Amino acid sequence: MVSFSCAPAAAAKAAPPFTLFPVVGGAHYVDDFGDPRGGGSHEGNDLLAPCGTPVIAVVSGTVTLDYGSRSGWMVTLKGTRSWYRYIHMDGRRGAASAFAKGLKRGARVKKGQIISYVEIGRAHV
């Protein structure tokens, strides 16, 4: 599952245009943003795709690579006017399988560049 969260910059009034789909080849989409969860409401959307499916940067920007106890491996992508968080990335072999080869914290990425891979059995972008 790849979980995808987006927030416009503080001064922006509208969400940025969404021109790229973050999962290569498409995915089954479930609009579950705001649905109840154990600790509050769901702040992302689930995109279901086969394990190992490439996930791409939807804008050019800078990435931060992290791990959370509830979210697993994740990539935060900060663009000029927006940010995106990709969570539940494939971590079967730790960071080596969660992030694209050579991707490092603070790296600049281009729109459309592969940054991660869908986790086992689910995608949550």
Side-chain angles (χ1 to χ4, degrees):
M1 178 175 294
V2 177
S3 179
F4 187 67
S5 300
C6 164
K13 294 187 181 199
F18 197 74
T19 58
L20 287 181
F21 194 75
V23 179
V24 173
H28 175 73
Y29 174 75
V30 177
D31 184 4
D32 57 354
F33 188 88
D35 285 357
R37 292 291 195 263
S41 63
H42 192 230
E43 296 181 2
N45 280 307
D46 295 334
L47 305 176
L48 305 174
C51 174
T53 301
V55 175
I56 62 171
V58 295
V59 297
S60 294
T62 305
V63 293
T64 302
L65 314 175
D66 290 302
Y67 183 85
S69 60
R70 290 183 60 192
S71 58
W73 294 103
M74 64 184 131
V75 176
T76 301
L77 170 60
K78 293 182 181 178
T80 304
R81 294 182 295 273
S82 58
W83 66 270
Y84 304 85
R85 180 159 292 138
Y86 302 71
I87 68 173
H88 304 310
M89 299 293 97
D90 182 7
R92 293 173 289 172
R93 295 181 315 277
S97 61
F99 309 121
K101 187 173 182 168
L103 195 64
K104 295 182 181 356
R105 181 183 195 94
R108 296 262 325 140
V109 297
K110 294 182 180 181
K111 182 178 180 178
Q113 180 178 334
I114 295 173
I115 57 174
S116 192
Y117 303 92
V118 171
E119 183 180 33
I120 298 173
R122 59 187 185 155
H124 193 89
V125 170

